[in-house]
C-alpha cells in the first residue's frame, strides 16, 4: 500500500504514537515515508503538532505535512468555523495525500478523533478522503471496557462505505491489564471483522526516540512491517 489512513474510535487513544511506530518500522526497512495531518486542532502556531511528533519519534527521513491548524481543541469543522478559517475537505486531503504518494513509498494520513468526525460544513469526513484515495484504513482503539462497541460501530461505518479495514491496533496497552483488557484481545478482531495487528505499550511516546525506534517493530504485526505475534500476545495475557 502506498497510502494508509490511520483513524481511531475516538480521541486521545494513541493514534499519533501508532502512526510514529508505523513510520519508524517503514524507515527501518528503507522506505521513504510521509505523514499527513489534514487538520491539527488545539495547537498554537509555534507548538509541535502531531505530524511533528511522528517525525521526532520516528527519526529523520520522515516528511511531515499539515494542511490546516486551528487553535481550539474541537472537531475540525467546529474549530475552523470558530476561528473564522477555511475548513479542510476530503478532496483537499485526498489531493495532498496523492501528491505525497508520488514522492514517497508510504503516506500515513492521521485523522482527528474518530472516523466520522466532521471536517467541513458539508459533513465531509476522513472516511470520505479514504474513499477518494481508495486507501485502506487502520483503526486504533483503546484496550479497555467500552472499546468493543466503538470498534463495532467503526467497522460497520467502514463496511457501509465500501472501505477496507486494514486491521486494528491497540493504541495504549496497560502495564497491568485487567479482565476487560485481557478478554478484549480475543474479542476485538471478532467485532472488527479484521485482524489485530499490534499493541503499543502505554507510555511508548515518552520513550527516548532511539529506544522508540528500536522497539517499534515489536509492537506491530508482520502485515505492518513488524514482528509482533497476535497469537503469542493473546496467550501471554491470558496466562
Amino acid at each position: 500500500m502506498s497510502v494508509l489512513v490511520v483513524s481511531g474510535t475516538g480521541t486521545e487513544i494513541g493514534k499519533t504514537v501508532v502512526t510514529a511506530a508505523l513510520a519508524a518500522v517503514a524507515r527501518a526497512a528503507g522506505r521513504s515515508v510521509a505523514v499527513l495531518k489534514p487538520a491539527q486542532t488545539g495547537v498554537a502556531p509555534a507548538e509541535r503538532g502531531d505530524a511533528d511528533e511522528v517525525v521526532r519519534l520516528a527519526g529523520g527521513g520522515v516528511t511531515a505535512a499539515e494542511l490546516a491548524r486551528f487553535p481550539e481543541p474541537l472537531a475540525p469543522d467546529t474549530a475552523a468555523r470558530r476561528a473564522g478559517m477555511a475548513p479542510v475537505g476530503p478532496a483537499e486531503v485526498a489531493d495532498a495525500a496523492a501528491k505525497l504518494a508520488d514522492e514517497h513509498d508510504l503516506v500515513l494520513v492521521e485523522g482527528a478523533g474518530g472516523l466520522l468526525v466532521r471536517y467541513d460544513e458539508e459533513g465531509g469526513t476522513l472516511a470520505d478522503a479514504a474513499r477518494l484515495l481508495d486507501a485502506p484504513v487502520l483503526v486504533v482503539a483503546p484496550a479497555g471496557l467500552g472499546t468493543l462497541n466503538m470498534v463495532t460501530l467503526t467497522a460497520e461505518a467502514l463496511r457501509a462505505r465500501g472501505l477496507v479495514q486494514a486491521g486494528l491496533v491497540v493504541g495504549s496497552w496497560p502495564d497491568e491489564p485487567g479482565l476487560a483488557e485481557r478478554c478484549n484481545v480475543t474479542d476485538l478482531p471478532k467485532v472488527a471483522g479484521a485482524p489485530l495487528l499490534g499493541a503499543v505499550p502505554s507510555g511508548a511516546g515518552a520513550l527516548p526516540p532511539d529506544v522508540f525506534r528500536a522497539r517499534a517493530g515489536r509492537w506491530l504485526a508482520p502485515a505492518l512491517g513488524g514482528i509482533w505475534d497476535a497469537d503469542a500476545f493473546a496467550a501471554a495475557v491470558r496466562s
Side-chain angles (χ1 to χ4, degrees):
M1 67 191 80
S2 60
V3 179
L4 178 64
V5 174
V6 182
S7 186
T9 57
T11 190
E12 301 297 327
I13 57 173
K15 288 191 304 296
T16 298
V17 176
V18 170
T19 302
L22 292 165
V25 168
R27 286 296 299 141
R31 304 176 74 190
S32 58
V33 180
V35 57
L36 172 63
K37 184 74 175 183
Q40 177 70 65
T41 65
V43 177
E47 292 180 334
R48 188 171 63 230
D50 291 345
D52 301 314
E53 180 66 3
V54 171
V55 172
R56 184 186 73 82
L57 290 170
V62 178
T63 300
E66 189 180 281
L67 299 185
R69 178 172 289 206
F70 309 117
E72 295 179 319
L74 302 167
D77 173 40
T78 306
R81 184 176 66 252
R82 285 180 52 84
M85 299 170 66
V88 178
E92 189 175 350
V93 177
D95 183 61
K99 289 178 179 177
L100 288 168
D102 287 339
E103 302 174 352
H104 298 82
D105 298 322
L106 175 65
V107 178
L108 301 168
V109 182
E110 184 193 340
L115 180 71
L116 301 185
V117 167
R118 289 169 61 99
Y119 274 72
D120 59 21
E121 294 180 354
E122 288 71 42
T125 67
L126 187 68
D128 295 318
R131 179 175 50 80
L132 291 171
L133 287 162
D134 194 23
V137 178
L138 181 70
V139 176
V140 180
L145 198 63
T147 194
L148 297 179
N149 178 64
M150 294 186 291
V151 167
T152 300
L153 291 171
T154 301
E156 287 189 2
L158 288 167
R159 287 193 294 269
R161 289 160 175 79
L163 296 173
V164 173
Q165 183 174 346
L168 186 74
V169 173
V170 173
S172 182
W173 182 258
D175 294 335
E176 297 183 2
L179 178 61
E181 287 85 358
R182 297 196 305 272
C183 291
N184 285 344
V185 170
T186 298
D187 293 337
L188 278 168
K190 294 179 182 178
V191 301
L196 186 61
L197 296 180
V200 176
S202 176
L207 292 170
D210 58 336
V211 177
F212 181 92
R213 292 192 288 271
R215 296 181 182 177
R218 307 178 198 174
W219 308 329
L220 302 175
L224 298 176
I227 60 172
W228 184 84
D229 187 297
D231 291 335
F233 184 80
V237 300
R238 283 197 300 267
S239 62

